[in-house]
Amino acid sequence: MKTLQKIQTIVAAIIVVISFQNCSKDRIETETTSYESMNEYFDSKKQEEQEYIIDTLGECPLTGKLGTRICINKSDLQFTNGDSIYYPYTLKLVELYSIKDMIYYQATNNTSDGYYTSKGEVRIRTFKNDTELQLRQNKAIEVEIKDSLANQDMSVYYQQATDPFTWSKSTDIYSATEYGYLGLVSLGWNAAGKQASYTNQAIVSFTSETDNLETVEMYMYVSSAQSIVRINNHKQIETPIGEQVTFICMAIDKQNQLYSYTTNKTITGDTTIVVTLTKISDNDLTQILDNL
Amino acid sequence: MKYLFICIGVLLAQYSYSQSIGGGLAGNIQTESLGIELRAVVPISFISITPQIAYYPFFNKVSEVYAGIGLQVPFLSFRSSHLYALGHVSYDAWLNYTESPMKDAKLHNIAGEVGLGIVSDRCLNPFAEYRYNLIFREANIRIGILIDLSCNSGAGYHSGSRSSVKCPGK
């Protein structure tokens, strides 16, 4: 009989647990739509990493597809154990100049204390066979970011964190040239930019009765600073008062249907934006990002 | 199979209940609502029929009145308490259904619940229930106290297990 009682108790406990897991708050909370990760979609659209075999015939500078110029002195490269390298070696380059490409690469202009104006982001890596190389101490590579309108020096920003992608301003300088911005930088991600700072800011909050914003990619584009900022908390962001800003929300479902919500605003004070995503085609969404 | 039925029969034969009335608090976890309830327990053989009414007042996110009838089947006894499985069917008047974001919310509803409960087997019997509302998919907790009507001759509290209780009138 004790065995029977144990079985009854266990069955009762299982029923309670299962039923509790199936509970619903439909009567007091709006059922919102959740979406899938956009990583796969972004990866399918992002700039390809360019690969160059550097040998004795290599010229300096090497020019990337979007115009970035790079000069590396082979003797400045080493294996992690300090050993020298020999030709040929491989240089891998990612160039992000447009807002759209920065979104696709998920390398938006967020810094630990706000955001910056980016004139171009590049990732430069070097490999000998499959082994990634590093720069010798106190050595740098010469990089020139293409910008025909360059008229003032910029700071060099380096990647500070990967998830979410965050930049950090360094003391290095990208000097304005006729071609763009010329700097001596490290390997990895770097960008030419300047911090966007505003005296008066307001809090813009986001809510939705239809969509689970935790599963939505959300961005703010500040026109005057030409900065694209990912809203990492999916809830609110500090926004400059009096500036024209565009908020872009996008999502994708299990059937790979895209959704978006876009609104342009000139912020005058704290405000709440009610987001309602609607279906959009890949072409139309691409067009929206192209126009930023 | 025959022995299984005999075992179940022997198990259930130990339950013999009296009529009780009582009430308590009702809490709906999902709607974050708190209400009050009244109930009677009418034993029929080893099972009990339980007419019940529960009211979740206006200050709750969901204000409603349930009036229905339940069935309790004891299945495990220990010391002076027992566990029971329950089923409950009721009419539900959802008083503030217009405030709900639910698309098909309406005033008149029929609710079905299943659950488990525990109650002591004395004269003043605290009880606690976990109930799952199959229609709205919500969990309810009920706690309260039942008065064993067979104890009203002044005998006071019972002591010991149900099988050893000597209630007046039993």
Side-chain angles (χ1 to χ4, degrees):
Chain A
M1 194 60 72
K2 281 186 176 177
T3 304
L4 182 59
Q5 288 179 343
K6 282 181 183 173
I7 293 171
Q8 289 172 328
T9 307
I10 291 168
V11 170
I14 291 171
I15 289 170
V16 169
V17 170
I18 291 174
S19 69
F20 199 77
Q21 286 181 335
N22 283 302
C23 285
S24 158
K25 286 191 164 189
D26 286 354
R27 289 209 287 173
I28 61 169
E29 290 181 355
T30 306
E31 192 172 347
T32 56
T33 305
S34 292
Y35 298 94
E36 302 298 302
S37 164
M38 291 199 75
N39 288 349
E40 201 172 312
Y41 172 76
F42 286 153
D43 286 348
S44 73
K45 309 280 285 184
K46 72 183 184 184
Q47 282 284 343
E48 284 188 16
E49 186 167 45
Q50 304 162 44
E51 287 194 25
Y52 299 91
I53 307 298
I54 310 298
D55 56 21
T56 51
L57 300 175
E59 293 179 359
C60 182
L62 178 152
T63 304
K65 289 177 181 173
L66 299 183
T68 309
R69 292 174 170 174
I70 302 164
C71 275
I72 300 180
N73 188 339
K74 180 184 71 72
S75 61
D76 292 343
L77 297 173
Q78 65 175 17
F79 289 101
T80 51
N81 63 5
D83 287 354
S84 299
I85 63 140
Y86 299 95
Y87 288 123
Y89 67 90
T90 304
L91 184 149
K92 295 185 179 182
L93 170 65
V94 175
E95 299 169 284
L96 307 178
Y97 280 89
S98 70
I99 297 298
K100 180 180 73 174
D101 283 342
M102 291 174 191
I103 289 176
Y104 286 157
Y105 228 101
Q106 300 183 62
T108 49
N109 305 150
N110 300 62
T111 60
S112 56
D113 56 349
Y115 49 94
Y116 74 105
T117 297
S118 177
K119 298 298 182 183
E121 302 170 351
V122 293
R123 183 176 70 183
I124 301 162
R125 298 186 295 171
T126 52
F127 293 84
K128 179 66 179 178
N129 299 324
D130 290 330
T131 304
E132 187 164 1
L133 306 174
Q134 59 183 210
L135 277 172
R136 293 191 185 280
Q137 201 167 16
N138 299 323
K139 298 296 182 181
I141 58 177
E142 192 177 293
V143 174
E144 198 161 15
I145 301 281
K146 186 179 181 183
D147 183 357
S148 58
L149 301 175
N151 58 10
Q152 61 174 311
D153 294 350
M154 293 285 156
S155 296
V156 177
Y157 283 78
Y158 291 108
Q159 184 187 33
Q160 184 183 52
T162 55
D163 189 21
F165 200 116
T166 309
W167 295 92
S168 175
K169 182 181 173 182
S170 73
T171 54
D172 298 339
I173 296 294
Y174 262 117
S175 304
T177 64
E178 285 188 358
Y179 187 80
Y181 301 98
L182 178 64
L184 294 172
V185 300
S186 301
L187 289 168
W189 279 107
N190 79 84
K194 63 178 179 182
Q195 194 72 14
S197 57
Y198 298 93
T199 309
N200 297 316
Q201 298 205 93
I203 300 292
V204 175
S205 304
F206 300 89
T207 183
S208 178
E209 294 179 353
T210 54
D211 305 290
N212 177 1
L213 296 183
E214 290 289 330
T215 61
V216 174
E217 289 291 329
M218 304 168 68
Y219 301 91
M220 174 180 74
Y221 177 67
V222 183
S223 304
S224 60
Q226 293 178 307
S227 295
I228 183 73
V229 189
R230 186 173 184 262
I231 303 169
N232 290 320
N233 62 20
H234 305 270
K235 290 175 182 161
Q236 61 181 39
I237 191 167
E238 282 193 344
T239 306
I241 290 176
E243 298 289 336
Q244 177 79 28
V245 294
T246 304
F247 296 103
I248 311 121
C249 302
M250 58 182 96
I252 194 167
D253 68 12
K254 285 179 181 171
Q255 286 73 44
N256 290 325
Q257 171 65 54
L258 290 163
Y259 296 81
S260 78
Y261 171 84
T262 307
T263 183
N264 294 299
K265 282 190 180 300
T266 300
I267 302 301
T268 55
D270 292 354
T271 186
T272 297
I273 292 176
V274 180
V275 176
T276 303
L277 294 181
T278 55
K279 288 182 180 178
I280 190 170
S281 68
D282 185 14
N283 282 341
D284 288 348
L285 180 58
T286 305
Q287 189 67 48
I288 289 172
L289 301 183
D290 272 331
N291 290 337
L292 292 176
Chain B
M1 184 61 76
K2 184 173 71 176
Y3 293 111
L4 178 63
F5 283 123
I6 291 171
C7 285
I8 294 173
V10 169
L11 180 68
L12 296 176
Q14 64 185 300
Y15 302 106
S16 175
Y17 302 113
S18 312
Q19 291 185 10
S20 304
I21 58 169
L25 296 174
N28 185 318
I29 296 170
Q30 275 63 46
T31 65
E32 301 163 20
S33 300
L34 185 67
I36 53 174
E37 69 136 63
L38 295 172
R39 70 171 62 187
V41 178
V42 182
I44 299 175
S45 183
F46 63 87
I47 64 170
S48 298
I49 302 296
T50 58
Q52 298 173 30
I53 185 166
Y55 172 53
Y56 292 85
F58 62 91
F59 55 75
N60 289 298
K61 289 181 179 175
V62 172
S63 176
E64 56 192 338
V65 177
Y66 284 95
I69 192 160
L71 182 69
Q72 294 181 358
V73 181
F75 66 90
L76 188 60
S77 179
F78 52 92
R79 297 199 175 187
S80 57
S81 303
H82 70 271
L83 290 173
Y84 56 89
L86 68 90
H88 188 250
V89 177
S90 60
Y91 163 73
D92 168 35
W94 184 358
L95 304 176
N96 64 346
Y97 73 97
T98 54
E99 298 170 18
S100 171
M102 199 174 180
K103 288 175 185 170
D104 50 356
K106 56 185 188 293
L107 174 62
H108 305 294
N109 304 277
I110 298 296
E113 292 176 302
V114 293
L116 299 167
I118 184 171
V119 63
S120 71
D121 300 324
R122 300 180 182 179
C123 285
L124 282 177
N125 298 313
F127 69 90
E129 285 179 357
Y130 169 85
R131 300 155 70 134
Y132 180 71
N133 187 320
L134 298 164
I135 307 302
F136 294 125
R137 295 192 295 133
E138 293 164 355
N140 289 265
I141 301 292
R142 302 280 178 97
I143 55 171
I145 197 156
L146 290 167
I147 302 168
D148 188 332
L149 296 178
S150 66
C151 295
N152 62 2
S153 61
Y157 287 69
H158 292 252
S159 62
S161 65
R162 183 78 196 181
S163 57
S164 63
V165 166
K166 303 294 182 187
C167 273
K170 277 196 174 171

